Amino acid sequence: AADLAMFAAKADGRNTLHFFNQAMQDDANRRSRLEHDLRLALERDELELHLQPQVDAGERITGMEALLRWQHPELGRISPADFIPLAESSGLIIPLGDWVLAQACRLLAEWRREPAMARLGLAVNISPRQFRHPDFVAGLQRLLQDSGVDPARLELEITESLLIDDIEQTIGRMEQLRRLGLRFSLDDFGTGYASLGYLKRLPLSQLKIDQSFVRDLLRDPNDEAIVRTIIALGRSLDLQVIAEGVETAEQASRLQELGCTAFQGYWFGKPDSTRHWHARLSDQAETEHRAAGD
Ligand code: C2E
Ligand code: MG
Ligand code: MG
Ligand code: MG
């Protein structure tokens, strides 16, 4: 019986091992397929920028965040949470990031001619590898010049991961971009490992409270304490604080009570196509125009 049990364990162990390897192999295959397809997606026009509104305390739309969408011809929609890390590790984030920034500048140039959108800011997510690329600053400068866009309309969302190593280089580069007129927002704030001491040295204009602290804000006193702290920190460093992932009216009003002045989340609007948001903003402008009495 003892021998039998041993045999079973071994067999089982072998099966488990086999299963594990198979899962790893499947995962590796999926990754290399996605990587291959992502390369093509850039050429085949399968990528699209969606927009999600950012609103002020009066619920007026003050800006938009650009969020990348990939419609794979066979696998359907693939989340940026899946393909951005892949693009980072493969280096594809460089052409991909260039594409996003070029689209963003095109959008901003278009908005300049539309009264309903001329004052909107546009926030774009920037990956660490993209930010650290030697051509990043020059490339962006060229894009801005060629499109004639006011750099102050463009906000770069970076994350704390950029602040862990090469901090001096990061600060130098941020200052260069700041001098060009661009703004910086620190995304997913509170989830990384960056030292708070660096915050005062960074030319930031905004802290973005991570959605994980907003989710349970009304139930978890720890989350409320963290949100309070971020808002206080923003105030003392003279940074705007925006909350992301606001899904309910209750979360929005609690955030307002805590002193938050900018918001983003499904409650105010889900990410949707540029077409969708252009139509919505034109309607809104027309209504306001009529309400103003002519
Ligand atoms: P992020 O920059 O923190 O963007 C916020 C994410 O939360 C987006 O997910 C958005 O769709 C989602 N979201 C917005 N409001 C709500 C809400 O009320 N509730 C919930 N549960 N979620 C909400 P998405 O679009 O899947 O993007 C995921 C991440 O992928 C982004 O996180 C960003 O880090 C990255 N990403 C997206 N587009 C780009 C891009 O163009 N370049 C780079 N480098 N990264 C990007
Ligand atoms: Mg973001
Ligand atoms: Mg975020
Ligand atoms: Mg993020």
Side-chain angles (χ1 to χ4, degrees):
D3 283 355
L4 254 182
M6 180 90 95
F7 179 76
K10 264 191 190 157
D12 193 55
R14 200 162 44 228
N15 282 336
T16 306
L17 195 66
H18 172 76
F19 180 72
F20 182 59
N21 281 336
Q22 192 58 50
M24 283 188 8
Q25 189 58 49
D26 288 350
D27 192 49
N29 289 344
R30 181 181 143 84
R31 283 174 62 90
S32 65
R33 169 166 188 207
L34 282 188
E35 193 183 312
H36 170 263
D37 290 357
L38 186 54
R39 221 173 274 278
L40 295 175
L42 264 170
E43 301 156 16
R44 292 185 182 165
D45 214 31
E46 292 165 16
L47 298 170
E48 193 187 355
L49 283 188
H50 274 197
L51 300 174
Q52 185 178 32
Q54 302 181 326
V55 305
D56 65 14
E59 299 200 11
R60 260 182 311 269
I61 296 175
T62 54
M64 295 280 182
E65 179 175 2
L67 294 160
L68 199 50
R69 294 293 177 261
W70 180 14
Q71 185 66 39
H72 188 287
E74 285 132 41
L75 302 173
R77 179 145 284 179
I78 300 173
S79 164
D82 287 331
F83 70 81
I84 292 291
L86 203 64
E88 268 264 319
S89 63
S90 65
L92 258 181
I93 194 67
I94 303 303
L96 196 63
D98 285 347
W99 184 86
V100 169
L101 284 168
Q103 293 292 313
C105 287
R106 259 190 37 188
L107 260 181
L108 281 168
E110 204 180 312
W111 290 356
R112 242 165 36 132
R113 298 187 299 265
E114 302 286 337
M117 285 166 284
R119 290 204 316 267
L120 293 182
L122 184 61
V124 171
N125 293 285
I126 305 293
S127 290
R129 188 159 174 183
Q130 182 188 2
F131 186 85
R132 292 206 171 100
H133 192 277
D135 299 336
F136 182 68
V137 176
L140 191 46
Q141 191 166 12
R142 205 168 333 110
L143 261 178
L144 288 163
Q145 271 162 5
D146 293 350
S147 57
V149 158
D150 175 5
R153 298 264 165 247
L154 191 60
E155 183 163 58
L156 304 183
E157 294 199 359
I158 58 169
T159 55
E160 286 169 82
S161 56
L162 198 53
L163 310 173
I164 293 166
D165 1 88
D166 296 329
I167 182 78
E168 297 307 325
Q169 197 211 40
T170 297
I171 294 175
R173 195 161 280 201
M174 285 177 76
E175 281 169 346
Q176 265 182 297
L177 291 161
R178 190 73 197 92
R179 280 195 294 274
L180 294 178
L182 286 109
R183 289 171 302 130
F184 285 97
S185 174
L186 195 51
D187 202 355
D188 306 338
F189 185 64
T191 61
Y193 300 96
S195 146
L196 284 181
Y198 287 130
L199 275 189
K200 62 173 187 220
R201 295 188 51 209
L202 300 173
L204 291 169
S205 52
Q206 187 183 71
L207 297 177
K208 204 162 187 184
I209 303 175
D210 188 66
Q211 56 188 57
S212 61
F213 305 122
V214 174
R215 194 173 306 133
D216 294 322
L217 179 63
L218 295 136
R219 287 186 297 270
D220 187 342
N222 291 328
D223 284 334
E224 187 186 299
I226 291 169
V227 167
R228 262 183 209 284
T229 304
I230 296 175
I231 291 168
L233 191 63
R235 233 181 237 144
S236 50
L237 295 173
D238 202 20
L239 302 173
Q240 188 189 51
V241 175
I242 184 169
E244 72 177 341
V246 183
E247 293 184 353
T248 67
E250 291 74 23
Q251 288 169 343
S253 60
R254 190 76 197 106
L255 285 160
Q256 290 236 22
E257 283 163 16
L258 295 172
C260 190
T261 53
F263 313 85
Q264 184 179 345
Y266 295 166
W267 175 253
F268 300 102
K270 292 192 173 176
D272 208 323
S273 65
T274 53
R275 210 175 333 103
H276 169 89
W277 284 112
H278 288 178
R280 282 281 300 271
L281 284 158
S282 306
D283 287 350
Q284 182 182 300
E286 208 169 292
T287 311
E288 281 169 9
H289 193 66
R290 259 193 239 117
D294 42 17

